[in-house]
Amino acid sequence: MRIVTVIGNRPQFVKAAAVSRPLRERHEELIVHTGQHYDDELSRIFFEELGVPAPARELHIGDGSPTSQTARMLAALEPQLDELAPDMVLVYGDTNSTLAGALAGAQRHVPVAHVEAGMRSFDRRMPEELNRVLTDHASDLLLCSTETAVQNLEREHVGGRVELVGDAMADVTLAFAPIAEQRSTALADNGVEPGGYHVVTAHRAGNVDDPQRLERLVELLEALPLTAVFPVHPRTRARLETAGLMERLGGVRMTPPLGYLDFLTLARHARTVLTDSGGVQKEAYLLGTPCVTLRDTTEWVETVDSGWNVLVDLDVGAALAAAERPAPSGPRPELYGGGQAGRRIADALDAYTGGP
Ligand code: UDP
């Protein structure tokens, strides 16, 4: 069978790294890269480091509002799907590329499989939440990372087939953590020691596009007790520059977005990870690093229930208290499938279509 995978941004490249290999053992897979993320730091390095196969097509869509980006992607995907004539379209996560891929596939009457289906924050102000809900209802095969996601889809009475497969990103974290440990020099490069720094990431529109909330993020960075290593997403850098807030961050160890191996190594040895990223919350859990989430909701509720993650929104006092809390004692339960999601996704696709 011919599968067209539509991806376009950083977390999707990571997830594809877990799935493309098992898929290609049994099927023809063609990657269409929408170009939602196009910089070397957010795109190329992930293909290289994680061995994601080169895209068959690149759409070069670039920046824009969710509406204009999604519209341009749809227009660009239609002739690609006509030409490539896939038997299935595969999409990941919750971005504009996800929704555009799912909608273009569904409108062409090609079965659509959605990896990381059923995640919900129940906050419709997040552009990602709208993408998740719409993608799930346009998809035929809904591949869930967690039991919570399965339950969310049951409550919404989605039309497609729902399967619990585990989390593709977790496969990559578990596989690459030991490799990162051997290869990365990120701690020395940033002048930090294990346990002696915090890692911070922030790029959600709800945090960085609102000037008051962006300033609260800066106040938090200024107040953190240990060195903050802050790989700055291009969106966040642009907002900080526009708001004239860069000069307040002189005490922060700011870097460009990091490659996966360097980021994993820094997250693994940090005292705490502070983030508004979905993937990073999960990775902190898998790496055994306490996490502080700079949002008031999360899709990864198990990390909070297990005590490894605390939601503080952008409350600076709450964030500081959470950043200094001790790591929970006792074993961490296996929440995300133990590194088997890629193979299970390939199996689920075979079962859906009646065989390899
Ligand atoms: N990541 C990275 N370098 C960085 C920051 C994050 O490689 O400087 C990785 C991180 O390990 C995770 C993914 O990017 O695998 C998360 O992407 P992002 O936060 O952009 O998206 P989200 O998960 O919030 O959708």
Side-chain angles (χ1 to χ4, degrees):
M1 136 169 105
R2 173 179 282 182
I3 300 165
V4 165
T5 295
V6 179
I7 50 178
N9 84 344
R10 176 168 69 184
Q12 292 170 338
F13 308 141
V14 177
K15 291 162 200 171
V19 181
S20 277
R21 193 169 332 110
L23 274 192
R24 283 172 192 236
E25 283 167 11
R26 312 174 193 182
H27 302 287
E28 181 188 12
E29 187 206 28
L30 299 170
I31 291 179
V32 176
H33 186 327
T34 63
Q36 183 175 346
H37 281 167
Y38 45 85
D39 333 42
D40 283 355
E41 291 153 347
L42 294 182
S43 177
R44 187 187 49 80
I45 189 163
F46 292 90
F47 284 83
E48 287 176 8
E49 279 192 340
L50 304 181
V52 181
R57 301 289 162 89
E58 301 200 40
L59 305 183
H60 303 290
I61 295 297
D63 295 326
S65 69
T67 304
S68 92
Q69 217 178 33
T70 310
R72 283 182 284 131
M73 285 176 189
L74 275 171
L77 279 168
E78 185 177 27
Q80 296 293 342
L81 295 188
D82 285 349
E83 200 183 312
L84 298 174
D87 302 299
M88 182 164 256
V89 170
L90 180 64
V91 296
Y92 293 87
D94 55 19
T95 73
N96 301 331
S97 303
T98 316
L99 177 59
L103 202 49
Q107 282 169 336
R108 203 180 185 277
H109 306 297
V110 177
V112 175
H114 181 205
V115 173
E116 216 182 76
M119 303 315 299
R120 296 289 182 270
S121 66
F122 303 102
D123 176 2
R124 286 283 179 108
R125 290 167 308 165
M126 289 179 77
E128 295 88 345
E129 184 77 354
L130 202 55
N131 289 338
R132 292 177 191 128
V133 172
L134 296 174
T135 299
D136 284 337
H137 285 265
S139 295
D140 300 279
L141 182 56
L142 298 117
L143 301 160
C144 295
S145 296
T146 64
E147 185 58 45
T148 308
V150 172
Q151 289 164 10
N152 290 339
L153 292 174
E154 281 168 0
R155 263 199 309 277
E156 288 179 21
H157 303 291
V158 288
R161 186 196 290 187
V162 177
E163 302 263 353
L164 177 63
V165 291
D167 187 73
M169 208 174 218
D171 287 17
V172 184
T173 309
L174 296 172
F176 280 87
I179 298 168
E181 200 61 19
Q182 283 171 5
R183 293 200 198 147
S184 171
T185 56
L187 269 74
D189 297 346
N190 286 284
V192 291
E193 301 279 344
Y197 63 96
H198 306 287
V199 168
V200 183
T201 80
H203 69 279
R204 291 262 95 74
N207 280 343
V208 305
D209 288 1
D210 173 339
Q212 283 177 348
R213 290 179 64 81
L214 185 65
E215 188 159 4
R216 294 235 295 278
L217 174 68
V218 169
E219 281 164 25
L220 171 60
L221 284 160
E222 289 174 318
L224 281 171
L226 304 174
T227 303
V229 180
F230 182 29
V232 190
H233 193 281
R235 175 192 199 104
T236 309
R237 180 173 290 278
R239 301 294 182 273
L240 287 167
E241 282 168 357
T242 305
L245 289 167
M246 285 299 260
E247 49 269 31
R248 282 177 54 185
L249 295 176
V252 172
R253 174 81 200 161
M254 293 170 80
T255 72
L258 298 168
Y260 190 73
L261 299 185
D262 284 347
F263 185 78
L264 219 52
T265 303
L266 281 166
R268 180 180 197 157
H269 294 289
R271 171 72 182 77
T272 329
V273 169
L274 298 100
T275 189
D276 63 10
S277 158
V280 174
Q281 293 172 55
K282 209 172 14 182
E283 287 168 351
Y285 178 84
L286 293 165
L287 296 168
T289 304
C291 186
V292 178
T293 293
L294 308 174
R295 293 174 41 193
D296 60 0
T297 58
T298 183
E299 304 76 33
W300 305 99
V301 289
E302 303 80 10
T303 60
V304 175
D305 296 343
S306 64
W308 284 86
N309 189 9
V310 179
L311 305 181
V312 300
D313 198 11
L314 279 175
D315 178 328
V316 174
L320 292 177
E324 295 192 79
R325 76 192 194 281
S329 54
R332 268 170 294 135
E334 185 73 83
L335 297 179
Y336 296 116
Q340 300 300 315
R343 189 186 47 74
R344 289 194 190 128
I345 288 167
D347 289 346
L349 262 57
D350 288 349
Y352 185 82
T353 56

